[in-house]
Amino acid sequence: TDDDTDDDGIQQQQQCYRAVQPVILQGKPDFNNNGALSVLEHIAKIGLDTVNLCIKERKKHVVEGMTTTTLSSSSLLPTEKETTKQSHHLLQFLAEDFASLLTLTAKQCSRPPSELSPSGQYLFGIACACMIRVAPSVTIHILQNTIMNDDDDDDNNNNNNDGDRIITTIRKNGIPYPILLFDELFDTESSSTVELCGGGISNLIRAGGVAISATHRPGYFSGGLACRTVTLSGGKVLLGGG
């Protein structure tokens, strides 16, 4: 039946985007070409750009697969304009959530990233990485919403509430918080920068995120920020902390 086909399509989409992979951060974000955007706008835009990329990958998967299930779902895949419309409220909600967890103030969020302090720039970069990591889960919810509500295209009231409906769904079912890998991220900074970022990183971890740091300066993460330390040499584990 059509319902069975739609269910199969959703399952394939979930399998396509469910791989658990960390986002790797190696330095401060590059925001030179986005001076017109505020910190919060930039964080939300990173999420939207990544969601659109995920949907493009899904469309590519549909074309390459050319199965009955994917073909029936392909006409329901949203355009970039539809994606922006459906995801606007949700991505704004997530951007504000991550910025708040990472202790970026309303004043900081309303200014261009270039005006942030060094610690603020790192927290901004971490917030952007969080949006990149949750984008596949957002994509799944958008595609589900598109398939389940395809018959409601003429209902303007329904369309106007797409974003709110997705937010309600995600609040009910949850979005996995991000897994982040700091690849020597703070090694060239002073310990005070890590201390200033520590509260926000701790908030993110308490909310359900995972932060792993590959560093030559493990002392930077002492004092309660690190719950476990593993010492490596030449790829071999010398000491594993509990």
Side-chain angles (χ1 to χ4, degrees), residues 189-242:
E189 298 289 341
S190 66
S191 59
S192 60
T193 299
V194 182
E195 290 174 9
L196 291 170
C197 294
I201 295 171
S202 295
N203 289 344
L204 184 65
I205 294 169
R206 282 193 291 269
V210 175
I212 304 167
S213 180
T215 179
H216 295 287
R217 298 180 180 272
Y220 279 12
F221 298 89
S222 60
L225 184 56
C227 65
R228 183 179 182 185
T229 302
V230 177
T231 303
L232 302 174
S233 178
K236 297 180 180 180
V237 177
L238 298 183
L239 180 65

Side-chain angles (χ1 to χ4, degrees), residues 10 13-21 23 47-48 50-55 83 86-87 90-91 94 98 129-146 148 165-167 169-171 173-179:
I10 290 172
Q13 290 151 7
Q14 289 173 329
Q15 290 169 2
C16 184
Y17 296 120
R18 191 167 284 174
V20 178
Q21 297 179 346
V23 175
L48 178 61
T50 311
V51 167
N52 279 325
L53 182 61
C54 288
I55 290 178
T83 301
Q86 292 189 30
S87 61
L90 172 58
L91 293 173
L94 289 172
F98 287 129
C130 289
M131 294 295 284
I132 291 171
R133 183 61 193 89
V134 301
S137 297
V138 173
T139 303
I140 290 171
H141 286 285
I142 290 173
L143 293 175
Q144 286 177 331
N145 188 69
T146 301
M148 289 185 295
R165 201 178 316 124
I166 298 173
I167 290 175
T169 301
I170 287 178
R171 279 176 168 164
N173 300 321
I175 278 186
Y177 266 74
I179 301 173

Side-chain angles (χ1 to χ4, degrees), residues 91-113:
L91 293 173
Q92 187 70 21
F93 171 81
L94 289 172
E96 292 173 359
D97 185 42
F98 287 129
S100 176
L101 283 173
L102 290 165
T103 67
L104 289 168
T105 66
K107 186 176 181 180
Q108 288 174 308
C109 286
S110 65
R111 292 181 171 181

Side-chain angles (χ1 to χ4, degrees), residues 31 34-35 37-39 42 108 111-117 121 124:
F31 42 74
N34 295 281
L37 297 179
S38 70
V39 165
H42 189 102
Q108 288 174 308
R111 292 181 171 181
S114 58
E115 294 184 11
L116 293 171
S117 65
Q121 290 177 10
F124 164 65

